Amino acid sequence: MKTIRVVAAIIRDKDKIFATQRGYGEFKDGWEFPGGKIEEGETPQDALKREIMEELDTEIKVGELIDTIEYDYPTFHLSMDCFWAEVITGHLVLKEAEAAKWLTKEQLDSVDWLPADVTLIDKIRIEL
């Protein structure tokens, strides 16, 4: 099974985190943490900064690694490094996602998370 390595930003603003809804592809309409694939020669942190600039027109500061999620989808294995992040400059402009929300700890279960992303929710809830 093919492994896809990606990074995800858990963008935090005080007691809220930023979630996006996929606007394309096999998992369209599912909710996820923004990010994307790691390109050859990139560190996960550099990939995350690049992806957030591309997808949200926003510069972020990448914080500590929360977890690396290993998840088997039917056609591929996902390895996702998930980092805390905060906005440095920009306004989180949606260039690829169809929707976005700031969620409090109590609202984390209010969206339909993609299967790999949902495995991170309990760890985030503890930190918020």
Side-chain angles (χ1 to χ4, degrees), residues 3-7 36-39 42 44 77-81:
T3 295
I4 298 177
R5 287 203 60 221
V6 300
V7 286
K37 290 181 183 171
I38 301 171
E39 293 181 358
E42 277 185 319
H77 176 80
L78 185 75
S79 179
M80 180 170 64
D81 292 337

Side-chain angles (χ1 to χ4, degrees), residues 39 49-57 95-96:
E39 293 181 358
K49 289 178 185 178
R50 176 187 51 76
E51 284 285 349
I52 297 304
M53 184 55 76
E54 288 175 5
E55 291 182 12
L56 299 169
D57 201 22
K95 292 180 163 184
E96 295 184 14

